[in-house]
């Protein structure tokens, strides 16, 4: 019995050693670092670190010889998310069946989501909040900004019994996802569970971050949002019809600062083509689409952490303009904006 246990441990160690050698030297398969990034959207070092993080959840419990290695599972899912191709196409390139890839996708998504807090984190300590404010201030002189917020749509095939609620204003079917990012384009908060017909402001009002901002948990910082959001003491929007030089300067600084979230959407969808409309609609349940969206945001942050940049799509601005019109301003929000314009931009 003891000998059998030792043998299993030795085999497990040998398998992990082989995988580590393979992961460190992926280019043994003929892939340059440039090709690795192009295929998986992460560098080889980032892939290694991610594999180490997820290994406990991806390691197969079966004793059969045909168990799929952890690295194969991770690379297959990364390739699927990056390419936006059909599962069968990705499965063929990975040397596994389509049904196995479907199972692996669920396994990797769940493993990532268990660690969501490690990869998507909104600043909450005084040090983190101050660092975030400094980063935004350097962009256009806008004070006390702790995040830029916006929504964008991810195309999906809707459930037949709820088709109408997923139809957006462009008459396609989608999920409306809300994202907050910092001045570097790192995603600090994401909400991905509402259908495409839902207004941006509704998503915000029913989110945890709205409650925390309203209750003053982040101090005197505020988010910057476009006209789709209601003006609040903690969420500043542009002046609809600027009439003074101060209001024009405020709007210019607002646009320059908030533009980072639009660029982040472009980079995110360009990096992970499964989220982009050119990759077609996602053929999964809304719950599975939500998982895919969140995991792509997590992987985006992994890439940012490793200093990897990616070109944004030129057409993203057209997509995020789906605002449903300006919102009724809050009186306290109006006073906050007026005071800011008078003290800083006038």
């Amino acid at each position: 019995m003891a000998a059998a246990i030792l043998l299993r441990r030795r085999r497990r160690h040998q398998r992990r050693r082989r995988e580590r050698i393979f992961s460190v030297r992926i280019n043994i398969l003929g892939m340059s670092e440039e090709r690795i990034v192009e295929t998986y959207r992460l560098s080889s070092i980032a892939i290694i670190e991610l594999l180490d993080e997820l290994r406990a959840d991806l390691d197969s419990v079966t004793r059969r010889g045909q168990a799929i290695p952890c690295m194969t599972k991770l690379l297959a899912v990364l390739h699927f998310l990056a390419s936006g191709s059909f599962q069968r196409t990705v499965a063929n390139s990975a040397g596994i069946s389509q049904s196995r890839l479907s199972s692996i996708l669920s396994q990797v998504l769940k493993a990532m989501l268990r660690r969501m807090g490690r990869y998507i984190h909104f600043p909450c300590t005084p040090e983190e909040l101050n660092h975030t404010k400094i980063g935004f201030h350097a962009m256009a002189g806008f004070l006390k900004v702790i995040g830029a917020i916006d929504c964008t749509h991810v195309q999906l095939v809707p459930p037949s019994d709820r088709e109408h609620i997923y139809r957006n204003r462009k008459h396609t079917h989608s999920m409306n996802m809300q994202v907050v990012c910092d001045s570097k384009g790192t995603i600090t908060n994401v909400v991905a569970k509402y259908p495409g017909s839902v207004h941006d402001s509704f998503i915000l009002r029913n989110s945890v971050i709205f409650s925390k901002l309203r209750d003053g948990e982040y101090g005197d910082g505020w988010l910057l949002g476009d006209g789709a959001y209601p003006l609040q003491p903690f969420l500043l929007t542009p002046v609809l019809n600027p009439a003074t030089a101060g209001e024009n300067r405020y709007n210019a600084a607002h646009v320059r600062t908030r533009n980072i979230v639009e660029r982040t959407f472009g980079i995110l969808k360009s990096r992970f083509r499964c989220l982009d409309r050119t990759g077609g609609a996602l053929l999964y349940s809304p719950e599975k689409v939500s998982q895919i969206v969140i995991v792509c945001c997590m992987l985006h942050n992994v890439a940012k952490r490793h200093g990897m940049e990616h070109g944004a799509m030129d057409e993203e601005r057209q997509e995020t303009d789906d605002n449903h019109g300006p919102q009724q301003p809050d009186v306290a929000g109006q006073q906050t904006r007026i005071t800011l314009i008078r003290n800083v931009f006038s």
Side-chain angles (χ1 to χ4, degrees):
M1 184 67 178
I5 294 175
L6 288 173
L7 180 61
R8 285 200 298 272
R9 287 179 178 174
R10 187 178 299 111
R11 287 176 176 172
R12 189 182 305 118
H13 174 75
Q14 291 173 344
R15 184 176 71 250
R16 290 180 176 177
R17 183 174 180 274
R18 286 195 300 268
E19 285 185 350
R20 178 167 291 279
I21 292 172
F22 168 67
S23 62
V24 174
R25 303 294 295 177
I26 298 179
N27 55 6
I28 290 176
L29 300 180
M31 296 181 71
S32 64
E33 185 68 19
E34 182 180 358
R35 179 63 175 167
I36 292 169
V37 173
E38 180 183 348
T39 304
Y40 305 114
R41 298 300 192 261
L42 296 177
S43 66
S44 57
I45 297 300
I47 293 172
I48 294 165
E49 291 184 3
L50 195 57
L51 178 65
D52 288 341
E53 178 75 21
L54 304 179
R55 186 185 297 279
D57 288 357
L58 301 187
D59 219 352
S60 179
V61 296
T62 181
R63 297 179 183 178
R64 297 179 301 171
Q66 62 267 35
I68 299 175
C70 299
M71 176 59 80
T72 300
K73 294 178 180 179
L74 179 58
L75 292 182
V77 172
L78 290 176
H79 186 197
F80 168 75
L81 298 176
S83 66
S85 299
F86 289 107
Q87 277 193 8
R88 187 177 301 278
T89 303
V90 176
N92 289 338
S93 65
I96 56 180
S97 67
Q98 187 273 331
S99 60
R100 294 295 289 273
L101 177 59
S102 181
S103 175
I104 289 169
L105 176 62
S106 296
Q107 185 183 15
V108 174
L109 292 178
K110 290 177 181 177
M112 287 289 294
L113 291 171
R114 291 189 188 103
R115 298 160 174 83
M116 180 178 173
R118 302 183 190 181
Y119 295 95
I120 298 179
H121 169 72
F122 194 81
C124 54
T125 67
E127 294 77 14
E128 290 174 336
L129 289 167
N130 187 55
H131 180 75
T132 303
K133 292 175 184 178
I134 291 173
F136 276 112
H137 182 264
M139 299 176 74
F142 218 109
L143 298 171
K144 301 180 182 180
V145 180
I146 58 175
I149 186 170
D150 205 352
C151 284
T152 190
H153 290 257
V154 175
Q155 305 299 311
L156 54 74
V157 175
S160 58
D161 59 335
R162 293 175 287 163
E163 177 272 338
H164 62 288
I165 68 172
Y166 287 92
R167 190 183 305 117
N168 57 44
R169 295 183 73 223
K170 295 185 178 180
H171 305 293
T172 61
H173 299 99
S174 63
M175 172 177 290
N176 194 6
M177 60 176 287
Q178 173 184 283
V179 161
V180 179
C181 72
D182 66 14
S183 62
K184 297 179 180 178
T186 298
I187 294 172
T188 56
N189 184 268
V190 58
V191 178
K193 61 180 180 180
Y194 290 98
S197 63
V198 174
H199 193 285
D200 295 1
S201 62
F202 179 89
I203 299 176
L204 174 63
R205 289 185 181 277
N206 288 274
S207 65
V208 174
I209 194 170
F210 180 87
S211 300
K212 291 185 175 183
L213 285 163
R214 182 191 56 203
D215 296 341
E217 290 194 22
Y218 302 122
D220 61 351
W222 44 57
L223 301 181
L224 296 187
D226 62 16
Y229 294 102
L231 180 63
Q232 297 281 342
F234 50 81
L235 197 163
L236 299 183
T237 61
V239 177
L240 185 59
N241 297 300
T244 66
E247 289 177 344
N248 279 298
R249 282 192 288 267
Y250 165 88
N251 275 6
H254 189 287
V255 168
R256 286 178 57 192
T257 307
R258 197 194 66 85
N259 182 254
I260 184 62
V261 70
E262 297 170 8
R263 297 201 305 271
T264 298
F265 282 144
I267 292 169
L268 178 69
K269 291 186 176 184
S270 183
R271 177 174 275 142
F272 300 107
R273 304 300 292 184
C274 67
L275 303 183
D276 182 43
R277 56 192 171 188
T278 60
L282 287 167
L283 306 173
Y284 301 96
S285 68
E287 294 74 20
K288 190 67 164 285
V289 171
S290 175
Q291 293 178 351
I292 290 173
V293 167
I294 294 172
V295 167
C296 285
C297 291
M298 294 169 67
L299 293 171
H300 167 84
N301 284 355
V302 171
K304 295 289 292 183
R305 187 180 301 174
H306 284 267
M308 302 173 61
E309 300 300 331
H310 198 79
M313 299 181 299
D314 294 334
E315 64 267 25
E316 180 59 30
R317 178 62 256 167
Q318 298 175 1
E319 182 173 339
T320 57
D321 266 340
D322 199 12
N323 292 333
H324 305 264
Q327 299 299 295
Q328 185 67 30
D330 174 86
V331 174
Q334 283 183 313
Q335 186 57 51
T336 300
R337 188 171 65 183
I338 290 170
T339 302
L340 177 65
I341 293 172
R342 182 177 63 244
N343 294 341
V344 178
F345 296 100
S346 294

